Amino acid sequence: MSRQVHFNFGKKLNRRTVLRSTAGVGMSIPWLTAMQKAFAGNEEQKTPKRFVAMTLGLGLHAENLNPEKTGSDYKPSRYLEKLQDIRDKYTVVSGTSHPEVSGGHRAEASLLSATPMGKGAQARTTISIDQLLAKHMGHHTRFPSLVLSSSGNNSPSYTENGSMIPAESSPARLFMQLFVSDSAEEQAKQLHRARQGKSIMDLVAEDAKSLSRELGAGDRDRLAAYFNSVRELEKRMTEAEQWAHLPKPKVDAKKPIDISNPNDFIGRQRLMNDMIRLALSTDSTRFVSYHLGGSGGVVPLEGVDEGYHSLSHHGRDEEKLEQLARVETGIIHAWADFLRGLDGIQEDEGSLLENTSVLLTSNLGNASSHDNRNMPVLFAGGGFKHGQHLAFDQKNNYPLPNLYLSVLQQSGLHVDQFATSTGTMRGLEVA
């Protein structure tokens, strides 16, 4: 059922009627709103900024993650003991959450948008930080963004109109998309789709001229602004056509073999991490979300014989907590190896890690009680000063959207708010 758009002249127009040409071609409004560039100038930065969000569905046990002491002179927690060699590359953040967001597991949808999901027919969120970056800066690469998962197609990546972007869960398929050139037939199909899209825009634009004659001055201005965004989408289609002509990058790596065991959580994480590193290092994309979710089965690690999801509901049982610690230590160590890999790749200005903001977080601060407060947060790279524990109030949480605003501004977007942010993150300074 299509939405309705209301204009001041007293008529109620079906959204698709507004954009339906005489040839019967229709376009939907939510795709196309507010597409003006939000960053200064048209020149691309010499060394681009990237953003990678890695999100967990089952949290991280706070007592094993967060150091007791704040500041830079903290003693590493159990999970961070073997990360001393990269201590100055990341920041531990505690005492933060998304204001007004609740719902336990349901809050996964709000992880990167920082806005609560509605209920019933209004059950949708708004644009996620990765997609906001891709919308304004993704045109520089073949893939404006990558939305990935360890299993399934759920993701915390959402478009401006609140539609979830399905995730790719196969490293092998992702490798093919990134590095294996399409056949001549497939290239022809891509070109046809791009050109067809542009011809649809032409038809819609002609229809708009006829419609505008029926509108008052205010509505004409709004329609004109709307079609400026349509022209921006046309530009994107032209860019898509240009990418179809360009060869994909060549890499030494071979196509990976997907891990068939759905419970091999750490193995799948490491394999997808390798693909993300290749995508960033070849500048195939600059914005990535990777949802690790939460496997229900037994993770194949020594000393673990109970399902991961069951362990997350530990109820303070010591045996469950010990097994959970083994799983979560593996997750943290895989994340650390990802950072080390990025830090080993040098660019014109610093390492790939220094130019890539890498976030690891979860919607659950306490998975055992489904509590969305005190979200676990590890944040690395991106040109920020690290090597510290930023500890905020555990009872009156600091807004995590402030970190998102810091990332947006550091990436080059001239925005002064994201979701419920109150400013950039206090204590997180640019290097």
Side-chain angles (χ1 to χ4, degrees), residues 358-416:
V358 183
L359 171 68
L360 179 67
T361 190
S362 173
N363 54 294
L364 294 177
N366 186 334
S368 189
S369 62
H370 289 173
D371 194 343
N372 300 120
R373 296 169 298 174
N374 297 308
M375 297 161 65
V377 178
L378 294 177
F379 180 65
F384 293 95
K385 293 180 181 178
H386 292 295
Q388 60 180 332
H389 173 206
L390 290 178
F392 298 100
D393 195 328
Q394 297 283 323
K395 295 182 178 180
N396 184 23
N397 281 182
Y398 184 79
L400 186 56
N402 286 13
L403 172 60
Y404 293 4
L405 182 61
S406 294
V407 170
L408 291 171
Q409 292 187 0
Q410 176 72 345
S411 298
L413 289 187
H414 288 184
V415 293
D416 56 14

XYZ file of all heavy atoms in Angstrom, residues 358-416:
455
model
N 37.153 2.266 13.149
C 36.656 0.898 13.304
C 35.927 0.790 14.646
O 36.516 1.003 15.705
C 37.804 -0.131 13.246
C 37.238 -1.550 13.347
C 38.610 0.033 11.962
N 34.662 0.470 14.584
C 33.819 0.374 15.774
C 33.409 -1.074 16.017
O 33.017 -1.779 15.082
C 32.561 1.221 15.582
C 31.452 1.097 16.632
C 31.903 1.682 17.963
C 30.169 1.770 16.142
N 33.508 -1.510 17.261
C 32.945 -2.797 17.675
C 31.971 -2.511 18.817
O 32.354 -1.930 19.838
C 34.038 -3.755 18.153
C 33.548 -5.128 18.644
C 32.952 -5.936 17.499
C 34.696 -5.911 19.301
N 30.704 -2.901 18.646
C 29.706 -2.631 19.670
C 28.582 -3.651 19.584
O 28.578 -4.522 18.716
C 29.154 -1.195 19.542
O 28.347 -0.883 20.683
C 28.308 -1.038 18.282
N 27.629 -3.526 20.487
C 26.448 -4.397 20.520
C 25.283 -3.620 21.100
O 25.466 -2.688 21.890
C 26.717 -5.644 21.356
O 25.527 -6.408 21.523
N 24.081 -4.016 20.708
C 22.885 -3.406 21.284
C 22.648 -3.845 22.721
O 21.868 -3.227 23.448
C 21.656 -3.754 20.446
C 21.501 -5.248 20.241
O 22.342 -5.863 19.586
N 20.456 -5.843 20.779
N 23.311 -4.913 23.167
C 23.097 -5.444 24.511
C 24.285 -5.135 25.411
O 25.404 -5.602 25.170
C 22.859 -6.953 24.460
C 21.570 -7.404 23.755
C 21.497 -8.932 23.723
C 20.335 -6.824 24.437
N 24.029 -4.345 26.458
C 25.048 -4.121 27.467
C 25.116 -5.291 28.426
O 26.176 -5.633 28.940
N 23.975 -5.934 28.657
C 23.908 -7.147 29.464
C 22.987 -8.114 28.748
O 21.757 -8.002 28.814
C 23.372 -6.831 30.867
C 23.409 -8.039 31.793
O 23.370 -9.188 31.353
N 23.476 -7.791 33.092
N 23.578 -9.066 28.018
C 22.778 -10.004 27.233
C 21.939 -10.910 28.117
O 20.862 -11.357 27.721
C 23.684 -10.842 26.335
N 22.418 -11.180 29.325
C 21.704 -12.089 30.216
C 20.346 -11.529 30.612
O 19.379 -12.274 30.785
C 22.539 -12.365 31.475
O 21.963 -13.395 32.250
N 20.270 -10.193 30.736
C 19.000 -9.550 31.111
C 18.396 -8.737 29.977
O 17.420 -8.021 30.182
C 19.226 -8.644 32.325
O 20.155 -7.618 32.014
N 18.986 -8.816 28.769
C 18.501 -8.078 27.594
C 18.499 -6.575 27.826
O 17.637 -5.853 27.332
C 17.101 -8.551 27.176
C 17.078 -9.908 26.574
N 15.911 -10.567 26.270
C 18.078 -10.745 26.207
C 16.186 -11.753 25.747
N 17.504 -11.877 25.701
N 19.478 -6.086 28.567
C 19.566 -4.670 28.905
C 20.313 -3.922 27.803
O 21.431 -4.305 27.439
C 20.297 -4.519 30.247
C 20.141 -3.123 30.844
O 19.766 -2.193 30.103
O 20.408 -2.973 32.053
N 19.707 -2.858 27.290
C 20.319 -2.080 26.220
C 21.180 -0.925 26.727
O 21.733 -0.175 25.919
C 19.248 -1.527 25.278
C 18.428 -2.614 24.628
O 17.208 -2.663 24.796
N 19.070 -3.512 23.898
N 21.295 -0.790 28.030
C 22.152 0.252 28.589
C 23.601 -0.248 28.669
O 23.861 -1.435 28.591
C 21.658 0.658 29.976
C 20.266 1.296 29.989
C 19.750 1.430 31.406
N 19.602 0.119 32.038
C 19.286 -0.056 33.317
N 19.102 0.998 34.111
N 19.167 -1.277 33.827
N 24.524 0.705 28.828
C 25.945 0.361 28.993
C 26.445 -0.569 27.887
O 26.996 -1.642 28.135
C 26.180 -0.270 30.369
C 25.861 0.695 31.504
O 26.355 1.819 31.525
N 25.017 0.268 32.429
N 26.247 -0.125 26.658
C 26.662 -0.904 25.502
C 28.185 -1.079 25.481
O 28.921 -0.153 25.824
C 26.194 -0.208 24.218
C 24.676 -0.098 24.095
S 24.129 1.152 22.899
C 24.755 0.455 21.355
N 28.674 -2.257 25.100
C 30.127 -2.431 24.960
C 30.619 -1.662 23.747
O 30.012 -1.723 22.675
C 30.273 -3.942 24.765
C 28.982 -4.355 24.125
C 27.925 -3.468 24.728
N 31.724 -0.951 23.900
C 32.245 -0.141 22.798
C 33.766 -0.203 22.779
O 34.431 0.171 23.752
C 31.805 1.335 22.912
C 32.415 2.159 21.769
C 30.284 1.465 22.893
N 34.306 -0.675 21.677
C 35.728 -0.531 21.365
C 35.801 0.262 20.072
O 35.117 -0.059 19.090
C 36.404 -1.890 21.188
C 36.491 -2.782 22.437
C 37.116 -4.127 22.077
C 37.288 -2.104 23.538
N 36.651 1.285 20.072
C 36.718 2.177 18.911
C 38.175 2.415 18.562
O 38.981 2.778 19.428
C 36.021 3.501 19.218
C 36.036 4.475 18.073
C 35.350 4.191 16.890
C 36.736 5.658 18.173
C 35.369 5.082 15.832
C 36.762 6.556 17.117
C 36.074 6.275 15.944
N 38.528 2.223 17.290
C 39.931 2.275 16.875
C 40.124 3.154 15.645
O 39.191 3.403 14.878
C 40.444 0.864 16.584
N 41.380 3.585 15.457
C 41.795 4.242 14.219
C 41.106 5.564 13.950
O 40.688 6.289 14.846
N 41.003 5.888 12.649
C 40.251 7.050 12.205
C 40.915 8.391 12.406
O 40.282 9.438 12.231
N 42.181 8.411 12.829
C 42.850 9.686 13.058
C 42.561 10.300 14.411
O 42.820 11.492 14.631
N 42.034 9.498 15.343
C 41.759 9.973 16.701
C 42.895 9.580 17.641
O 43.649 8.638 17.387
C 40.445 9.375 17.215
C 39.224 9.862 16.498
C 38.681 9.129 15.442
C 38.600 11.045 16.876
C 37.542 9.563 14.772
C 37.457 11.489 16.215
C 36.931 10.756 15.165
N 42.991 10.283 18.772
C 43.922 9.918 19.825
C 43.321 8.778 20.638
O 42.197 8.888 21.122
C 44.193 11.114 20.731
C 44.944 12.261 20.062
C 45.181 13.406 21.040
C 45.911 14.558 20.371
N 46.098 15.698 21.314
N 44.077 7.702 20.800
C 43.563 6.523 21.475
C 44.424 6.172 22.688
O 45.088 7.017 23.261
C 43.493 5.358 20.499
C 42.452 5.539 19.429
N 41.104 5.587 19.675
C 42.589 5.710 18.070
C 40.439 5.755 18.554
N 41.308 5.836 17.560
N 44.353 4.913 23.107
C 45.119 4.464 24.250
C 44.501 4.844 25.577
O 45.212 5.060 26.563
N 43.168 4.897 25.644
C 42.514 5.350 26.857
C 41.223 4.581 27.119
O 40.683 3.919 26.236
C 42.186 6.844 26.743
C 41.258 7.152 25.564
C 40.923 8.625 25.432
O 40.918 9.359 26.417
N 40.638 9.069 24.216
N 40.743 4.702 28.335
C 39.425 4.201 28.715
C 38.563 5.415 29.051
O 38.793 6.096 30.054
C 39.528 3.263 29.924
C 38.196 2.841 30.466
N 38.014 2.453 31.790
C 36.971 2.734 29.875
C 36.742 2.133 31.986
N 36.091 2.297 30.843
N 37.584 5.689 28.200
C 36.623 6.759 28.450
C 35.454 6.152 29.211
O 34.671 5.391 28.654
C 36.137 7.367 27.134
C 37.143 8.198 26.332
C 36.504 8.690 25.037
C 37.650 9.375 27.148
N 35.377 6.464 30.482
C 34.345 5.875 31.340
C 33.300 6.931 31.689
O 33.620 7.946 32.314
C 34.977 5.315 32.610
N 32.062 6.692 31.286
C 30.962 7.593 31.585
C 30.062 6.957 32.650
O 30.314 5.842 33.116
C 30.196 7.923 30.308
C 31.033 8.637 29.271
C 31.579 7.945 28.192
C 31.288 9.992 29.386
C 32.360 8.599 27.247
C 32.065 10.659 28.443
C 32.607 9.964 27.372
N 29.014 7.652 33.009
C 28.146 7.239 34.113
C 27.378 5.964 33.766
O 26.630 5.916 32.791
C 27.167 8.381 34.423
C 26.464 8.208 35.760
O 26.218 7.053 36.161
O 26.142 9.231 36.393
N 27.555 4.931 34.586
C 26.888 3.645 34.350
C 25.378 3.739 34.574
O 24.616 2.950 34.013
C 27.475 2.583 35.280
C 28.945 2.289 35.048
C 29.203 1.414 33.840
O 28.432 0.505 33.554
N 30.272 1.687 33.108
N 24.939 4.667 35.401
C 23.509 4.798 35.693
C 22.831 5.825 34.792
O 21.676 5.661 34.420
C 23.305 5.160 37.164
C 23.757 4.066 38.124
C 23.480 4.450 39.572
C 23.902 3.330 40.526
N 23.647 3.697 41.954
N 23.530 6.880 34.472
C 22.999 7.916 33.595
C 23.902 7.983 32.367
O 24.797 8.819 32.277
C 22.952 9.255 34.323
C 22.322 10.354 33.488
O 21.551 10.087 32.569
N 22.662 11.600 33.802
N 23.657 7.094 31.438
C 24.575 6.888 30.307
C 24.774 8.132 29.452
O 23.860 8.942 29.256
C 24.072 5.758 29.417
C 24.368 4.378 29.961
O 24.049 3.383 29.338
N 24.988 4.289 31.130
N 25.982 8.230 28.954
C 26.357 9.260 27.979
C 25.870 8.810 26.600
O 25.898 7.613 26.280
C 27.877 9.394 27.991
C 28.454 10.480 27.125
C 28.448 11.804 27.548
C 29.043 10.175 25.903
C 29.008 12.799 26.762
C 29.612 11.160 25.122
C 29.596 12.484 25.552
O 30.151 13.463 24.775
N 25.413 9.736 25.746
C 24.866 9.325 24.434
C 25.937 8.809 23.469
O 26.853 9.548 23.103
C 24.202 10.601 23.905
C 24.828 11.724 24.661
C 25.223 11.174 25.997
N 25.812 7.556 23.062
C 26.722 6.985 22.073
C 26.616 7.674 20.709
O 27.602 7.709 19.968
C 26.477 5.479 21.939
C 27.451 4.717 21.037
C 28.899 4.909 21.465
C 27.098 3.232 20.991
N 25.455 8.256 20.335
C 25.406 8.999 19.067
C 26.439 10.123 18.986
O 26.784 10.564 17.888
C 23.977 9.557 19.047
C 23.185 8.584 19.851
C 24.119 8.135 20.946
N 26.969 10.576 20.127
C 28.033 11.582 20.088
C 29.282 11.029 19.416
O 29.993 11.752 18.711
C 28.366 12.055 21.505
C 27.298 12.964 22.092
O 26.198 13.072 21.559
N 27.615 13.618 23.205
N 29.555 9.739 19.642
C 30.680 9.110 18.944
C 30.413 9.078 17.448
O 31.310 9.340 16.639
C 30.903 7.691 19.475
C 31.931 6.831 18.719
C 33.308 7.474 18.739
C 31.998 5.421 19.297
N 29.192 8.768 17.061
C 28.845 8.729 15.645
C 29.033 10.107 15.003
O 29.506 10.215 13.865
C 27.397 8.268 15.463
C 27.140 6.825 15.858
C 28.135 6.036 16.424
C 25.898 6.246 15.671
C 27.901 4.721 16.792
C 25.644 4.926 16.031
C 26.657 4.171 16.592
O 26.420 2.864 16.947
N 28.662 11.146 15.729
C 28.842 12.496 15.195
C 30.330 12.812 15.027
O 30.728 13.425 14.027
C 28.184 13.525 16.116
C 28.253 14.981 15.637
C 27.536 15.151 14.306
C 27.661 15.931 16.682
N 31.155 12.377 15.975
C 32.601 12.567 15.844
C 33.124 11.892 14.583
O 33.945 12.456 13.853
C 33.328 12.009 17.074
O 33.020 12.739 18.236
N 32.645 10.668 14.307
C 33.070 9.935 13.106
C 32.625 10.669 11.849
O 33.405 10.822 10.897
C 32.504 8.504 13.126
C 32.720 7.825 11.777
C 33.146 7.684 14.232
N 31.389 11.137 11.825
C 30.872 11.840 10.647
C 31.694 13.089 10.352
O 32.075 13.350 9.201
C 29.406 12.207 10.854
C 28.413 11.036 10.868
C 27.032 11.509 11.308
C 28.327 10.370 9.495
N 31.974 13.862 11.378
C 32.739 15.090 11.165
C 34.174 14.794 10.765
O 34.733 15.452 9.873
C 32.694 15.949 12.426
C 31.316 16.523 12.718
C 31.315 17.515 13.861
O 32.357 17.799 14.468
N 30.156 18.054 14.187
N 34.781 13.797 11.387
C 36.143 13.418 11.034
C 36.212 12.879 9.611
O 37.236 13.010 8.928
C 36.672 12.380 12.030
C 38.053 11.829 11.734
C 39.160 12.837 11.989
O 38.914 14.036 12.130
N 40.403 12.370 12.027
N 35.115 12.308 9.125
C 35.065 11.766 7.764
C 34.864 12.860 6.722
O 35.010 12.608 5.530
C 33.930 10.741 7.648
O 34.146 9.653 8.526
N 34.501 14.063 7.163
C 34.357 15.176 6.229
C 32.950 15.684 6.037
O 32.726 16.574 5.214
N 31.984 15.147 6.773
C 30.612 15.639 6.654
C 30.405 16.837 7.579
O 30.724 16.760 8.773
C 29.606 14.541 7.006
C 29.448 13.405 6.025
C 28.300 12.496 6.448
C 29.192 13.914 4.621
N 29.861 17.898 7.040
C 29.583 19.079 7.837
C 28.179 18.969 8.415
O 27.213 19.552 7.918
C 29.723 20.338 6.980
C 31.147 20.646 6.646
N 31.533 21.767 5.948
C 32.303 19.971 6.922
C 32.847 21.775 5.806
N 33.336 20.694 6.391
N 28.063 18.193 9.480
C 26.796 18.005 10.185
C 27.032 18.325 11.648
O 28.140 18.163 12.165
C 26.254 16.571 10.030
C 25.847 16.297 8.590
C 27.291 15.544 10.478
N 25.997 18.825 12.322
C 26.163 19.169 13.733
C 25.307 18.306 14.649
O 25.280 18.530 15.860
C 25.854 20.651 13.973
C 24.468 21.048 13.501
O 23.643 20.155 13.237
O 24.211 22.261 13.379
